[in-house]
Amino acid sequence: MNKDFISPLSDFGFYNLYGTEQGKENLIELLNAILHERLGYERIVDLKLNPTENKGLNPERKTTRYDVHCITDGGHRIIVEMQNNWHNNFDNRIFYYGVEAINRQDKRLESNKVWDFSLDPVVTIAMCNFKNKKSPDRAINYYTFREEETNELYGNQLSLVFLHLPAFPDTEEECDTILKKIIYSMKNMESIQTMEKIPFSTGEGDFFSRIAERSRYSALDEDERLAYDRWLKHENDRLLELEYVRREAIEKGLEEGRAEGRAEGAIEEDWIIAYKLKNKGMTLQEISDITGLNIRDLKSKL
């Protein structure tokens, strides 16, 4: 992995670009590209960053930590999550984040206040560096509450947006919208060679030069470099482990679990995960819950 420019797809890189006061201008540009017109929102001019860590409603449980959490000048509460790994209840997790942000607007317990159940609209945006197996095969999916027969919008209390980064264009020539250009830049930031060759930049200080500048490894302070280096090590270890499990799966004869339409010898990712979980001592029911695979198939192949 290149260290000249850090990956915006890492937890640290994404937060560095969009989750700090210095990156607020970048976040506004990103949100406008995702939300403007499609969901009928006014263009965002300013926003306030909220704490990304919230105490759980149950004090015995862990806190909930968002990647980015903000309130726009129009009163919309927006959560943005950068996710690199899929799991079987991923959609539920993103939905829960939005519901939790709604629940936290409950003012009934505040003294000397009468609350009429007015709610700020909440949007949860999941930027998925994988194909979400439960969503239609498109680069971006918008979900809102609508009346079933008329398709009329019921309300904007909660909206969900899923961006599937692998489905966005892989060449500069195909990027004909600002959103496609932003996603292309995020996916290819590590391949930038010099600040003079930034894709789509029209000059110093524009959006694309700003995110490139903030992604320079040399611009990080010592603590930031340590945080990013930890992510690099974790990601490298994850890839090595996945490759090891893939080889073991092939040796164990799990070729029959390969995905339809893939090249000969490729192994279905769910079966790789299943085999790994089996080796860690999980029950077939637990493996089924995580992967979505049928227990009967698990019994015959594991």
Side-chain angles (χ1 to χ4, degrees):
M1 294 183 181
N2 184 15
K3 268 195 175 183
D4 293 336
F5 291 85
I6 66 177
S7 171
L9 305 183
S10 67
D11 292 339
F12 173 82
F14 187 81
Y15 180 78
N16 186 54
L17 280 184
Y18 300 110
T20 67
E21 284 296 326
Q22 293 87 346
K24 191 165 74 169
E25 192 175 357
N26 301 335
L27 178 60
I28 291 172
E29 188 96 25
L30 174 66
L31 294 180
N32 278 331
I34 295 172
L35 298 176
H36 184 53
E37 295 180 352
R38 183 59 188 257
L39 294 180
Y41 291 171
E42 297 292 328
R43 286 194 67 83
I44 299 168
V45 176
D46 196 11
L47 53 79
K48 180 184 76 171
L49 290 167
N50 282 3
T52 56
E53 188 169 41
N54 291 302
K55 293 182 179 179
L57 300 177
N58 182 346
E60 301 296 322
R61 302 297 296 274
K62 294 180 179 179
T63 59
T64 299
R65 185 173 182 84
Y66 310 127
D67 288 340
V68 175
H69 186 203
C70 65
I71 300 180
T72 71
D73 54 345
H76 292 82
R77 296 170 182 254
I78 300 180
I79 298 163
V80 189
E81 284 288 303
M82 179 67 239
Q83 298 289 325
N84 282 289
N85 300 298
W86 185 88
H87 61 79
N88 203 44
N89 290 315
F90 173 77
D91 298 65
N92 288 346
R93 176 183 176 183
I94 298 304
F95 184 80
Y96 173 80
Y97 283 170
V99 171
E100 186 183 49
I102 290 176
N103 193 53
R104 290 184 180 282
Q105 299 180 53
D106 189 340
K107 297 181 178 63
R108 288 173 295 178
L109 298 180
E110 296 183 19
S111 59
N112 302 320
K113 279 192 177 182
V114 177
W115 185 45
D116 63 356
F117 289 87
S118 58
L119 293 170
D120 293 334
V122 173
V123 185
T124 308
I125 300 173
M127 305 189 69
C128 310
N129 194 23
F130 53 83
K131 175 64 183 77
N132 188 344
K133 301 178 183 181
K134 294 186 178 180
S135 295
D137 190 16
R138 291 195 295 272
I140 183 166
N141 304 125
Y142 296 88
Y143 295 92
T144 55
F145 286 105
R146 294 181 178 272
E147 205 282 326
E148 186 173 334
E149 291 190 11
T150 65
N151 199 38
E152 194 171 317
L153 186 66
Y154 179 76
N156 63 351
Q157 293 90 343
L158 177 61
S159 304
L160 307 179
V161 182
F162 291 89
L163 286 84
H164 307 120
L165 306 194
F168 278 81
D170 291 324
T171 66
E172 294 183 40
E173 292 72 26
E174 296 176 276
C175 296
D176 54 1
T177 68
I178 184 64
L179 181 57
K180 290 178 182 179
K181 292 177 181 179
I182 291 174
I183 301 302
Y184 177 91
S185 296
M186 291 178 63
K187 290 167 61 176
N188 294 278
M189 184 63 68
E190 290 179 290
S191 65
I192 293 177
Q193 299 301 312
T194 68
M195 288 295 292
E196 287 71 38
K197 295 183 179 180
I198 305 170
F200 313 119
S201 176
T202 57
E204 184 177 350
D206 71 355
F207 173 80
F208 297 102
S209 62
R210 288 200 311 271
I211 63 172
E213 181 61 41
R214 286 194 60 77
S215 297
R216 295 177 69 182
Y217 185 80
S218 61
L220 304 179
D221 62 30
E222 185 176 356
D223 290 339
E224 291 171 334
R225 290 186 186 185
L226 287 173
Y228 184 63
D229 288 345
R230 280 195 297 270
W231 177 84
L232 278 179
K233 181 180 183 305
H234 173 78
E235 183 67 6
N236 186 65
D237 290 347
R238 185 184 72 85
L239 293 175
L240 286 174
E241 186 176 21
L242 181 60
E243 179 59 27
Y244 171 76
V245 173
R246 187 187 304 275
R247 289 176 185 171
E248 279 208 328
I250 295 174
E251 292 173 3
K252 290 288 185 178
L254 294 181
E255 291 89 343
E256 55 200 280
R258 58 179 172 259
E260 182 180 354
R262 290 189 181 179
E264 187 70 20
I267 305 299
E268 173 66 53
E269 183 180 359
D270 287 340
W271 283 103
I272 295 174
I273 296 171
Y275 180 72
K276 180 177 177 180
L277 297 179
K278 176 69 172 176
N279 281 351
K280 290 183 177 294
M282 284 195 176
T283 67
L284 294 182
Q285 182 61 60
E286 289 172 328
I287 295 172
S288 177
D289 291 342
I290 293 172
T291 63
L293 294 170
N294 186 286
I295 290 183
R296 183 178 57 196
D297 293 337
L298 291 171
K299 285 180 179 178
S300 66
K301 295 176 182 178
L302 297 182

